[in-house]
Amino acid sequence: MLSTTPQKRISVLIKAKRRENDLGVRAAAAESGVSAATLSRLERGVLQNLPDTGTLTKLAHWLGVSLNNLLASGGKIRGDKGPVTTTPEVVEVHLRADKNLSLETADALAKMFKVLYDNAAKGRTTGTGNRR
Protein backbone atom coordinates (compact mmCIF):
# COMPACT_ATOMS: atom_id res chain seq x y z
CA MET A 1 0.00 0.00 0.00
CA LEU A 2 1.23 3.46 -0.85
CA SER A 3 2.23 5.89 1.85
CA THR A 4 1.16 9.20 0.36
CA THR A 5 -0.37 12.20 2.01
CA PRO A 6 -3.58 13.66 0.60
CA GLN A 7 -1.61 16.78 -0.41
CA LYS A 8 0.85 14.69 -2.46
CA ARG A 9 -1.97 12.68 -4.00
CA ILE A 10 -3.84 15.86 -4.99
CA SER A 11 -0.64 17.34 -6.44
CA VAL A 12 0.03 14.27 -8.61
CA LEU A 13 -3.58 14.08 -9.81
CA ILE A 14 -3.66 17.76 -10.77
CA LYS A 15 -0.34 17.50 -12.64
CA ALA A 16 -1.54 14.43 -14.51
CA LYS A 17 -4.91 15.98 -15.43
CA ARG A 18 -3.33 19.21 -16.66
CA ARG A 19 -0.72 17.35 -18.67
CA GLU A 20 -3.25 14.87 -20.09
CA ASN A 21 -5.52 17.68 -21.28
CA ASP A 22 -2.69 20.09 -22.14
CA LEU A 23 -4.13 22.76 -19.84
CA GLY A 24 -2.48 25.81 -18.38
CA VAL A 25 -3.23 26.73 -14.78
CA ARG A 26 -5.81 29.35 -15.75
CA ALA A 27 -7.64 26.99 -18.12
CA ALA A 28 -7.63 24.26 -15.47
CA ALA A 29 -8.92 26.77 -12.92
CA ALA A 30 -11.75 27.78 -15.24
CA GLU A 31 -12.68 24.12 -15.83
CA SER A 32 -12.49 23.11 -12.18
CA GLY A 33 -14.00 26.18 -10.57
CA VAL A 34 -10.98 26.44 -8.25
CA SER A 35 -8.94 29.65 -8.32
CA ALA A 36 -5.73 29.57 -10.34
CA ALA A 37 -3.70 30.55 -7.27
CA THR A 38 -5.13 27.72 -5.16
CA LEU A 39 -4.80 25.19 -7.97
CA SER A 40 -1.17 26.20 -8.49
CA ARG A 41 -0.36 25.91 -4.78
CA LEU A 42 -2.07 22.52 -4.58
CA GLU A 43 -0.18 21.28 -7.63
CA ARG A 44 3.15 22.45 -6.24
CA GLY A 45 2.30 20.91 -2.87
CA VAL A 46 3.10 24.09 -0.95
CA LEU A 47 -0.12 24.22 1.10
CA GLN A 48 0.39 22.93 4.62
CA ASN A 49 -3.35 22.47 5.15
CA LEU A 50 -6.02 21.18 2.83
CA PRO A 51 -8.44 23.72 1.34
CA ASP A 52 -12.07 23.99 2.44
CA THR A 53 -14.59 21.29 1.58
CA GLY A 54 -16.16 23.35 -1.21
CA THR A 55 -12.82 23.60 -2.99
CA LEU A 56 -12.05 19.92 -2.40
CA THR A 57 -15.46 18.92 -3.77
CA LYS A 58 -14.95 20.98 -6.94
CA LEU A 59 -11.47 19.50 -7.33
CA ALA A 60 -12.67 15.91 -6.86
CA HIS A 61 -15.43 16.44 -9.42
CA TRP A 62 -12.99 17.94 -11.95
CA LEU A 63 -10.50 15.12 -11.40
CA GLY A 64 -13.24 12.49 -11.72
CA VAL A 65 -12.66 10.91 -8.30
CA SER A 66 -14.71 10.71 -5.14
CA LEU A 67 -13.88 13.01 -2.27
CA ASN A 68 -12.88 9.96 -0.18
CA ASN A 69 -10.54 8.79 -2.94
CA LEU A 70 -9.06 12.27 -3.29
CA LEU A 71 -8.29 12.48 0.43
CA ALA A 72 -7.05 8.91 0.81
CA SER A 73 -3.63 8.39 2.28
CA GLY A 74 -2.35 5.78 -0.12
CA GLY A 75 -4.26 2.90 -1.65
CA LYS A 76 -7.94 2.16 -2.10
CA ILE A 77 -10.61 2.95 0.43
CA ARG A 78 -13.11 0.30 1.49
CA GLY A 79 -16.64 1.15 0.47
CA ASP A 80 -15.55 3.98 -1.82
CA LYS A 81 -17.81 4.19 -4.86
CA GLY A 82 -15.24 6.24 -6.77
CA PRO A 83 -12.36 4.90 -8.84
CA VAL A 84 -10.02 2.51 -7.04
CA THR A 85 -6.35 3.30 -7.36
CA THR A 86 -4.25 0.26 -8.22
CA THR A 87 -0.46 0.15 -8.34
CA PRO A 88 -0.36 0.31 -12.17
CA GLU A 89 -2.72 3.32 -12.07
CA VAL A 90 -0.53 5.12 -9.55
CA VAL A 91 2.54 4.46 -11.69
CA GLU A 92 0.68 5.75 -14.76
CA VAL A 93 -0.28 8.97 -12.95
CA HIS A 94 3.34 9.54 -11.96
CA LEU A 95 4.59 8.82 -15.48
CA ARG A 96 2.04 11.22 -17.00
CA ALA A 97 3.04 13.92 -14.51
CA ASP A 98 6.74 13.59 -15.39
CA LYS A 99 7.65 16.57 -17.57
CA ASN A 100 10.70 14.73 -18.90
CA LEU A 101 8.48 12.23 -20.73
CA SER A 102 6.27 12.82 -23.74
CA LEU A 103 2.67 11.73 -23.34
CA GLU A 104 3.28 8.89 -25.83
CA THR A 105 6.33 7.67 -23.88
CA ALA A 106 4.45 7.88 -20.57
CA ASP A 107 1.58 5.85 -22.06
CA ALA A 108 3.95 3.22 -23.47
CA LEU A 109 5.81 2.88 -20.15
CA ALA A 110 2.52 2.65 -18.26
CA LYS A 111 1.32 -0.15 -20.55
CA MET A 112 4.61 -2.00 -20.17
CA PHE A 113 4.46 -1.66 -16.40
CA LYS A 114 0.87 -2.94 -16.30
CA VAL A 115 1.84 -6.04 -18.32
CA LEU A 116 4.83 -6.71 -16.07
CA TYR A 117 2.77 -6.12 -12.94
CA ASP A 118 -0.05 -8.40 -14.12
CA ASN A 119 2.46 -11.14 -15.00
CA ALA A 120 4.16 -10.81 -11.60
CA ALA A 121 0.81 -10.90 -9.80
CA LYS A 122 -0.25 -13.92 -11.84
CA GLY A 123 3.02 -15.68 -10.99
CA ARG A 124 2.45 -14.97 -7.31
CA THR A 125 -1.03 -16.50 -7.35
CA THR A 126 0.26 -19.66 -9.07
CA GLY A 127 3.17 -19.97 -6.68
CA THR A 128 5.87 -19.24 -9.27
CA GLY A 129 6.55 -15.66 -8.22
CA ASN A 130 9.66 -14.71 -6.28
CA ARG A 131 8.45 -12.75 -3.26
CA ARG A 132 10.75 -12.22 -0.28
Side-chain angles (χ1 to χ4, degrees), residues 30-46:
E31 273 190 16
S32 66
V34 176
S35 77
T38 299
L39 200 61
S40 175
R41 287 192 297 269
L42 285 167
E43 183 174 350
R44 290 181 286 132
V46 297

Side-chain angles (χ1 to χ4, degrees), residues 91-122:
V91 170
E92 182 178 359
V93 167
H94 282 280
L95 289 168
R96 286 177 175 265
D98 189 330
K99 292 183 180 181
N100 295 316
L101 300 174
S102 69
L103 192 53
E104 294 78 21
T105 301
D107 286 340
L109 288 170
K111 286 176 186 170
M112 275 195 301
F113 180 80
K114 181 163 178 17
V115 168
L116 291 169
Y117 182 88
D118 290 345
N119 284 339
K122 185 178 172 184

Side-chain angles (χ1 to χ4, degrees), residues 29-75:
E31 273 190 16
S32 66
V34 176
S35 77
T38 299
L39 200 61
S40 175
R41 287 192 297 269
L42 285 167
E43 183 174 350
R44 290 181 286 132
V46 297
L47 289 179
Q48 295 300 315
N49 298 315
L50 290 170
D52 62 75
T53 56
T55 300
L56 288 172
T57 301
K58 289 177 189 176
L59 196 57
H61 180 72
W62 178 66
L63 292 169
V65 299
S66 70
L67 194 53
N68 281 344
N69 196 287
L70 183 67
L71 297 176
S73 294

